[in-house]
Amino acid sequence: MRNLSLYILSLFILLPIAVIAQDRAYPIEGDGIFSFLRRWNRVGDAYVQEFIELNFDRLNAQGGLELGTVYLIPPLHPGDEYPASIEMLPQGTDPAIFGSAAGDMTPRSERLKNACFYIISGHGGPDPGAIARVGNRILHEDEYAYDIALRLARELMLDGATVHVIIQDPQDGIRDGMYLNNSSNETCMGEPIPRNQLDRLKQRVEKVNELYERDKEQFDYCRAIEIHVDSRNKGKRIDVFFYHSPDKQSQLLATTTRDLFRVKYDTHQPGRGFSGHVEERGLYILRHLEPPSILVEVGNIQNAFDRQRILLSNNRQALANWMAQAFLMLFTR
Ligand SMILES: [Zn+2]
Protein backbone atom coordinates (compact mmCIF):
# COMPACT_ATOMS: atom_id res chain seq x y z
CA MET A 1 0.00 0.00 0.00
CA ARG A 2 2.73 2.39 0.97
CA ASN A 3 4.65 1.51 -2.16
CA LEU A 4 1.62 2.09 -4.31
CA SER A 5 0.91 5.56 -2.92
CA LEU A 6 4.56 6.41 -3.34
CA TYR A 7 4.30 5.26 -6.92
CA ILE A 8 1.19 7.36 -7.56
CA LEU A 9 2.79 10.34 -5.90
CA SER A 10 5.89 10.05 -8.03
CA LEU A 11 3.72 9.82 -11.16
CA PHE A 12 2.12 13.16 -10.32
CA ILE A 13 5.44 14.75 -9.67
CA LEU A 14 7.44 13.30 -12.54
CA LEU A 15 4.93 13.33 -15.36
CA PRO A 16 4.39 17.10 -15.67
CA ILE A 17 8.12 17.65 -15.52
CA ALA A 18 8.68 15.19 -18.36
CA VAL A 19 5.99 16.85 -20.49
CA ILE A 20 7.27 20.33 -19.88
CA ALA A 21 10.83 19.26 -20.55
CA GLN A 22 9.76 17.85 -23.90
CA ASP A 23 7.60 20.75 -24.88
CA ARG A 24 10.01 23.62 -25.24
CA ALA A 25 12.76 24.26 -27.73
CA TYR A 26 15.04 26.93 -29.15
CA PRO A 27 14.48 28.07 -32.73
CA ILE A 28 17.25 27.65 -35.28
CA GLU A 29 18.63 30.33 -37.57
CA GLY A 30 15.97 31.50 -40.03
CA ASP A 31 13.05 29.92 -38.17
CA GLY A 32 9.58 31.36 -38.38
CA ILE A 33 6.63 30.02 -36.42
CA PHE A 34 5.66 27.68 -39.28
CA SER A 35 9.07 26.10 -39.79
CA PHE A 36 9.61 25.82 -36.03
CA LEU A 37 6.29 24.04 -35.57
CA ARG A 38 6.77 21.84 -38.62
CA ARG A 39 10.00 20.52 -37.14
CA TRP A 40 7.92 19.27 -34.20
CA ASN A 41 5.27 17.92 -36.55
CA ARG A 42 2.71 20.53 -35.48
CA VAL A 43 1.19 21.45 -38.83
CA GLY A 44 -1.87 23.62 -39.33
CA ASP A 45 -3.45 26.90 -38.23
CA ALA A 46 -4.66 25.55 -34.90
CA TYR A 47 -1.09 24.85 -33.78
CA VAL A 48 0.01 28.32 -34.90
CA GLN A 49 -2.77 29.89 -32.83
CA GLU A 50 -1.88 27.82 -29.78
CA PHE A 51 1.79 28.62 -30.23
CA ILE A 52 1.09 32.36 -30.26
CA GLU A 53 -1.07 32.09 -27.13
CA LEU A 54 1.60 30.08 -25.30
CA ASN A 55 4.44 32.37 -26.34
CA PHE A 56 2.91 35.83 -26.71
CA ASP A 57 5.41 37.30 -24.26
CA ARG A 58 8.39 35.72 -26.02
CA LEU A 59 7.77 36.85 -29.59
CA ASN A 60 9.63 39.85 -30.95
CA ALA A 61 8.04 43.14 -32.01
CA GLN A 62 7.26 41.70 -35.45
CA GLY A 63 5.60 38.66 -33.92
CA GLY A 64 8.56 36.46 -34.94
CA LEU A 65 10.97 34.20 -33.13
CA GLU A 66 14.18 35.30 -31.45
CA LEU A 67 17.31 33.17 -31.52
CA GLY A 68 18.31 32.20 -28.00
CA THR A 69 14.76 32.39 -26.65
CA VAL A 70 13.13 29.14 -25.64
CA TYR A 71 9.58 28.62 -26.91
CA LEU A 72 6.80 26.39 -25.66
CA ILE A 73 5.60 23.79 -28.14
CA PRO A 74 1.81 23.26 -28.19
CA PRO A 75 0.78 19.74 -27.14
CA LEU A 76 0.08 17.28 -29.94
CA HIS A 77 -3.50 17.01 -31.09
CA PRO A 78 -5.11 13.57 -30.97
CA GLY A 79 -3.98 11.52 -33.95
CA ASP A 80 -0.78 13.52 -34.50
CA GLU A 81 2.56 12.03 -33.63
CA TYR A 82 6.07 13.19 -33.01
CA PRO A 83 8.27 12.02 -34.56
CA ALA A 84 5.90 11.77 -37.53
CA SER A 85 5.21 8.12 -38.28
CA ILE A 86 6.54 6.89 -41.58
CA GLU A 87 3.76 7.00 -44.17
CA MET A 88 2.60 3.42 -44.55
CA LEU A 89 -0.16 4.10 -47.03
CA PRO A 90 0.57 3.47 -50.69
CA GLN A 91 1.71 6.66 -52.33
CA GLY A 92 1.49 7.56 -55.95
CA THR A 93 3.91 9.35 -58.21
CA ASP A 94 5.19 12.74 -57.09
CA PRO A 95 3.49 15.49 -59.15
CA ALA A 96 6.97 16.99 -59.66
CA ILE A 97 7.08 14.69 -62.69
CA PHE A 98 4.71 17.12 -64.46
CA GLY A 99 7.43 19.78 -64.55
CA SER A 100 6.14 23.35 -64.41
CA ALA A 101 2.55 22.03 -64.62
CA ALA A 102 3.14 20.57 -61.15
CA GLY A 103 2.97 24.11 -59.78
CA ASP A 104 -0.77 24.20 -59.37
CA MET A 105 -1.89 20.90 -57.98
CA THR A 106 -4.64 22.30 -55.75
CA PRO A 107 -7.17 19.44 -55.71
CA ARG A 108 -10.57 20.35 -57.12
CA SER A 109 -12.28 17.40 -55.46
CA GLU A 110 -11.73 14.18 -53.55
CA ARG A 111 -14.04 12.24 -55.80
CA LEU A 112 -11.33 9.73 -56.70
CA LYS A 113 -9.92 9.47 -53.20
CA ASN A 114 -10.39 5.71 -53.04
CA ALA A 115 -9.26 5.05 -56.58
CA CYS A 116 -5.82 4.11 -57.83
CA PHE A 117 -4.58 4.23 -61.41
CA TYR A 118 -1.60 2.89 -63.31
CA ILE A 119 -0.84 5.08 -66.28
CA ILE A 120 1.51 3.53 -68.79
CA SER A 121 2.72 5.36 -71.87
CA GLY A 122 3.62 3.07 -74.74
CA HIS A 123 7.28 2.37 -75.60
CA GLY A 124 9.99 4.64 -74.14
CA GLY A 125 13.69 4.25 -73.40
CA PRO A 126 15.46 2.65 -76.36
CA ASP A 127 12.12 2.11 -78.13
CA PRO A 128 10.57 5.24 -79.69
CA GLY A 129 7.54 3.35 -81.03
CA ALA A 130 6.10 4.59 -84.30
CA ILE A 131 8.12 7.22 -86.15
CA ALA A 132 6.69 9.81 -88.52
CA ARG A 133 8.48 12.33 -90.71
CA VAL A 134 6.88 15.74 -91.03
CA GLY A 135 8.98 18.04 -93.22
CA ASN A 136 12.40 17.92 -91.63
CA ARG A 137 11.08 16.80 -88.26
CA ILE A 138 10.96 13.32 -86.87
CA LEU A 139 8.10 12.54 -84.51
CA HIS A 140 8.33 9.72 -82.01
CA GLU A 141 5.22 8.00 -80.73
CA ASP A 142 6.57 7.57 -77.21
CA GLU A 143 6.93 11.33 -76.61
CA TYR A 144 3.30 12.04 -77.52
CA ALA A 145 1.99 9.03 -75.61
CA TYR A 146 3.99 10.23 -72.61
CA ASP A 147 2.60 13.75 -72.76
CA ILE A 148 -0.98 12.47 -72.89
CA ALA A 149 -0.18 10.01 -70.07
CA LEU A 150 1.13 12.81 -67.84
CA ARG A 151 -1.90 14.98 -68.56
CA LEU A 152 -4.21 12.10 -67.72
CA ALA A 153 -2.30 11.37 -64.51
CA ARG A 154 -2.56 15.01 -63.49
CA GLU A 155 -6.30 15.18 -64.14
CA LEU A 156 -6.87 12.11 -61.99
CA MET A 157 -4.68 13.44 -59.18
CA LEU A 158 -6.61 16.73 -59.18
CA ASP A 159 -9.69 14.69 -58.28
CA GLY A 160 -7.84 13.04 -55.41
CA ALA A 161 -6.76 9.78 -57.08
CA THR A 162 -3.56 7.93 -56.28
CA VAL A 163 -1.74 7.61 -59.58
CA HIS A 164 1.31 5.59 -60.51
CA VAL A 165 3.02 6.91 -63.61
CA ILE A 166 4.80 3.74 -64.72
CA ILE A 167 6.97 5.07 -67.54
CA GLN A 168 8.78 8.18 -66.38
CA ASP A 169 11.04 10.75 -67.94
CA PRO A 170 12.96 12.75 -65.36
CA GLN A 171 13.46 15.61 -67.84
CA ASP A 172 10.19 15.95 -69.71
CA GLY A 173 7.22 17.28 -67.81
CA ILE A 174 3.94 18.20 -69.49
CA ARG A 175 4.89 20.00 -72.70
CA ASP A 176 2.75 22.43 -74.68
CA GLY A 177 4.63 22.52 -77.97
CA MET A 178 3.58 20.86 -81.20
CA TYR A 179 6.88 19.17 -81.84
CA LEU A 180 8.08 17.32 -78.79
CA ASN A 181 11.80 16.66 -78.55
CA ASN A 182 12.81 13.05 -78.74
CA SER A 183 14.74 11.46 -75.92
CA SER A 184 15.51 7.98 -74.74
CA ASN A 185 15.92 8.58 -71.02
CA GLU A 186 12.52 7.21 -70.04
CA THR A 187 12.58 4.59 -67.30
CA CYS A 188 10.13 2.11 -65.83
CA MET A 189 9.80 3.83 -62.45
CA GLY A 190 13.53 4.41 -62.30
CA GLU A 191 14.69 1.17 -63.93
CA PRO A 192 16.22 1.26 -67.41
CA ILE A 193 13.85 0.00 -70.10
CA PRO A 194 15.22 -3.07 -71.90
CA ARG A 195 15.56 -3.11 -75.67
CA ASN A 196 13.96 -6.50 -76.19
CA GLN A 197 10.23 -6.12 -76.77
CA LEU A 198 9.06 -8.95 -74.56
CA ASP A 199 11.39 -7.92 -71.72
CA ARG A 200 10.12 -4.38 -72.09
CA LEU A 201 6.47 -5.38 -71.79
CA LYS A 202 7.20 -7.84 -69.00
CA GLN A 203 8.97 -5.14 -67.00
CA ARG A 204 6.03 -2.73 -66.96
CA VAL A 205 3.48 -5.47 -66.35
CA GLU A 206 5.45 -6.77 -63.40
CA LYS A 207 5.81 -3.27 -62.01
CA VAL A 208 2.06 -2.67 -62.15
CA ASN A 209 1.20 -6.08 -60.73
CA GLU A 210 3.63 -5.60 -57.88
CA LEU A 211 2.04 -2.24 -56.95
CA TYR A 212 -1.46 -3.65 -57.42
CA GLU A 213 -0.75 -6.49 -54.98
CA ARG A 214 -0.44 -3.86 -52.26
CA ASP A 215 -2.89 -1.27 -53.61
CA LYS A 216 -5.84 -3.63 -53.94
CA GLU A 217 -5.96 -3.94 -50.15
CA GLN A 218 -6.15 -0.20 -49.83
CA PHE A 219 -8.33 1.01 -52.69
CA ASP A 220 -11.87 0.24 -53.77
CA TYR A 221 -10.96 0.67 -57.39
CA CYS A 222 -7.72 0.13 -59.35
CA ARG A 223 -7.42 0.42 -63.11
CA ALA A 224 -4.56 0.44 -65.62
CA ILE A 225 -4.35 2.15 -68.99
CA GLU A 226 -1.65 2.08 -71.64
CA ILE A 227 -1.59 4.85 -74.21
CA HIS A 228 -0.29 4.49 -77.78
CA VAL A 229 -0.32 6.32 -81.06
CA ASP A 230 -0.97 4.01 -83.97
CA SER A 231 1.03 3.83 -87.19
CA ARG A 232 -0.85 2.91 -90.34
CA ASN A 233 -0.88 3.82 -93.97
CA LYS A 234 -0.50 7.56 -94.52
CA GLY A 235 -3.92 7.87 -96.13
CA LYS A 236 -5.78 6.09 -93.36
CA ARG A 237 -7.71 8.20 -90.86
CA ILE A 238 -8.70 6.40 -87.71
CA ASP A 239 -10.54 7.44 -84.61
CA VAL A 240 -9.50 6.48 -81.12
CA PHE A 241 -9.41 2.70 -80.54
CA PHE A 242 -10.01 1.05 -77.20
CA TYR A 243 -8.73 -2.48 -76.66
CA HIS A 244 -9.77 -4.59 -73.71
CA SER A 245 -9.19 -8.04 -72.26
CA PRO A 246 -11.93 -10.69 -71.75
CA ASP A 247 -12.41 -9.29 -68.23
CA LYS A 248 -15.85 -7.67 -67.78
CA GLN A 249 -14.44 -4.60 -66.01
CA SER A 250 -11.89 -4.11 -68.74
CA GLN A 251 -14.63 -4.31 -71.36
CA LEU A 252 -16.81 -1.88 -69.42
CA LEU A 253 -13.93 0.57 -69.20
CA ALA A 254 -13.36 0.38 -72.95
CA THR A 255 -17.02 0.81 -73.91
CA THR A 256 -17.65 3.59 -71.39
CA THR A 257 -14.63 5.54 -72.59
CA ARG A 258 -15.61 5.05 -76.24
CA ASP A 259 -19.18 6.20 -75.52
CA LEU A 260 -17.94 9.27 -73.73
CA PHE A 261 -15.60 10.11 -76.61
CA ARG A 262 -18.55 9.84 -78.98
CA VAL A 263 -20.56 12.30 -76.89
CA LYS A 264 -17.59 14.67 -76.78
CA TYR A 265 -17.03 14.53 -80.52
CA ASP A 266 -20.75 15.07 -81.17
CA THR A 267 -20.62 18.14 -78.94
CA HIS A 268 -17.36 19.66 -80.16
CA GLN A 269 -17.53 18.65 -83.82
CA PRO A 270 -21.22 18.11 -84.62
CA GLY A 271 -21.83 16.11 -87.76
CA ARG A 272 -18.29 14.72 -87.78
CA GLY A 273 -19.36 11.36 -86.46
CA PHE A 274 -17.11 9.19 -84.33
CA SER A 275 -16.05 5.78 -85.50
CA GLY A 276 -13.61 4.93 -82.70
CA HIS A 277 -14.15 1.37 -81.75
CA VAL A 278 -13.84 -1.15 -78.98
CA GLU A 279 -12.27 -4.53 -79.48
CA GLU A 280 -11.10 -7.45 -77.39
CA ARG A 281 -7.45 -8.13 -78.15
CA GLY A 282 -5.03 -10.71 -76.84
CA LEU A 283 -2.23 -8.17 -76.41
CA TYR A 284 0.53 -9.16 -73.96
CA ILE A 285 -0.19 -6.19 -71.72
CA LEU A 286 -3.90 -6.90 -71.52
CA ARG A 287 -3.35 -10.60 -70.91
CA HIS A 288 -0.90 -10.11 -68.06
CA LEU A 289 -1.91 -6.98 -66.17
CA GLU A 290 -3.74 -7.97 -62.97
CA PRO A 291 -5.92 -4.86 -62.54
CA PRO A 292 -8.65 -4.35 -65.17
CA SER A 293 -6.93 -2.60 -68.04
CA ILE A 294 -7.39 -1.00 -71.42
CA LEU A 295 -5.03 -0.04 -74.19
CA VAL A 296 -5.86 3.10 -76.13
CA GLU A 297 -4.59 4.02 -79.60
CA VAL A 298 -5.23 7.73 -80.07
CA GLY A 299 -4.81 8.00 -83.87
CA ASN A 300 -2.59 7.32 -86.86
CA ILE A 301 0.68 9.21 -86.47
CA GLN A 302 1.30 8.95 -90.26
CA ASN A 303 -1.95 10.67 -91.21
CA ALA A 304 -1.89 14.47 -91.39
CA PHE A 305 -5.46 14.84 -90.07
CA ASP A 306 -5.07 12.36 -87.24
CA ARG A 307 -1.79 13.95 -86.33
CA GLN A 308 -3.54 17.16 -85.29
CA ARG A 309 -4.99 15.13 -82.44
CA ILE A 310 -1.53 14.66 -81.01
CA LEU A 311 0.38 17.70 -82.27
CA LEU A 312 -1.87 20.30 -80.67
CA SER A 313 -1.46 20.41 -76.91
CA ASN A 314 -5.13 21.37 -76.49
CA ASN A 315 -6.08 18.16 -78.22
CA ARG A 316 -3.71 16.10 -76.09
CA GLN A 317 -5.30 17.73 -73.08
CA ALA A 318 -8.81 16.96 -74.36
CA LEU A 319 -7.92 13.30 -74.83
CA ALA A 320 -6.60 13.18 -71.28
CA ASN A 321 -9.66 15.00 -69.90
CA TRP A 322 -12.05 12.62 -71.57
CA MET A 323 -10.21 9.52 -70.41
CA ALA A 324 -10.13 10.91 -66.87
CA GLN A 325 -13.83 11.69 -67.09
CA ALA A 326 -14.63 8.12 -68.14
CA PHE A 327 -12.70 6.78 -65.14
CA LEU A 328 -14.56 9.18 -62.89
CA MET A 329 -17.94 8.19 -64.32
CA LEU A 330 -17.26 4.53 -63.75
CA PHE A 331 -15.88 5.02 -60.27
CA THR A 332 -18.64 7.28 -58.99
CA ARG A 333 -21.66 5.61 -60.50
ZN1 LIG B 1 2.77 1.95 -79.78
Side-chain angles (χ1 to χ4, degrees), residues 37-212:
L37 287 173
R38 201 178 310 118
R39 194 168 317 111
W40 299 95
N41 199 34
R42 271 80 165 165
V43 180
D45 292 344
Y47 282 119
V48 174
Q49 203 49 50
E50 290 166 32
F51 178 87
I52 293 168
E53 282 163 20
L54 285 170
N55 297 288
F56 70 96
D57 54 346
R58 299 166 195 228
L59 300 173
N60 65 22
Q62 291 77 42
L65 306 184
E66 286 288 316
L67 283 175
T69 302
V70 72
Y71 291 92
L72 297 165
I73 305 168
L76 281 165
H77 298 169
D80 287 351
E81 283 175 53
Y82 179 82
S85 62
I86 293 155
E87 187 66 81
M88 293 305 287
L89 296 172
Q91 282 188 314
T93 302
D94 187 332
I97 199 164
F98 303 137
S100 55
D104 188 20
M105 287 301 294
T106 314
R108 58 186 166 214
S109 87
E110 289 206 319
R111 292 181 294 179
L112 290 172
K113 196 169 177 247
N114 293 312
C116 172
F117 299 95
Y118 310 95
I119 313 292
I120 316 164
S121 58
H123 312 278
D127 170 25
I131 295 175
R133 282 165 210 282
V134 180
N136 56 359
R137 296 176 196 274
I138 295 178
L139 311 184
H140 285 181
E141 171 189 354
D142 70 330
E143 302 296 335
Y144 290 90
Y146 185 64
D147 194 69
I148 297 165
L150 288 187
R151 289 169 189 270
L152 170 59
R154 184 170 181 274
E155 289 307 309
L156 295 168
M157 282 184 198
L158 289 175
D159 279 316
T162 294
V163 180
H164 301 285
V165 176
I166 304 299
I167 303 304
Q168 305 185 343
D169 187 319
Q171 259 129 57
D172 295 333
I174 291 174
R175 291 175 282 176
D176 282 334
M178 281 179 81
Y179 300 103
L180 305 183
N181 276 343
N182 300 320
S183 65
S184 54
N185 45 19
E186 296 86 11
T187 67
C188 181
M189 298 190 98
E191 290 163 29
I193 297 174
R195 195 168 286 273
N196 176 280
Q197 196 206 9
L198 188 59
D199 291 344
R200 186 162 50 72
L201 299 179
K202 217 170 158 226
Q203 179 189 47
R204 57 193 66 194
V205 164
E206 280 171 2
K207 183 51 84 183
V208 170
N209 289 348
E210 180 190 310
L211 292 165
Y212 179 61

Side-chain angles (χ1 to χ4, degrees), residues 77 80 214 232 249-250 271 286 294-295 300 331:
H77 298 169
D80 287 351
R214 185 190 64 179
R232 308 243 184 142
Q249 291 306 319
S250 163
L286 295 176
I294 56 169
L295 189 146
N300 177 8
F331 177 66

Side-chain angles (χ1 to χ4, degrees), residues 241-248 250-252 254-255 258 277-284 286-287 293-295:
F241 283 26
F242 306 90
Y243 298 119
H244 62 86
S245 75
D247 175 79
K248 281 277 161 276
S250 163
Q251 190 179 356
L252 182 64
T255 52
R258 190 264 324 265
H277 83 216
V278 161
E279 192 182 320
E280 184 183 320
R281 295 245 340 237
L283 300 164
Y284 181 95
L286 295 176
R287 278 186 290 124
S293 314
I294 56 169
L295 189 146

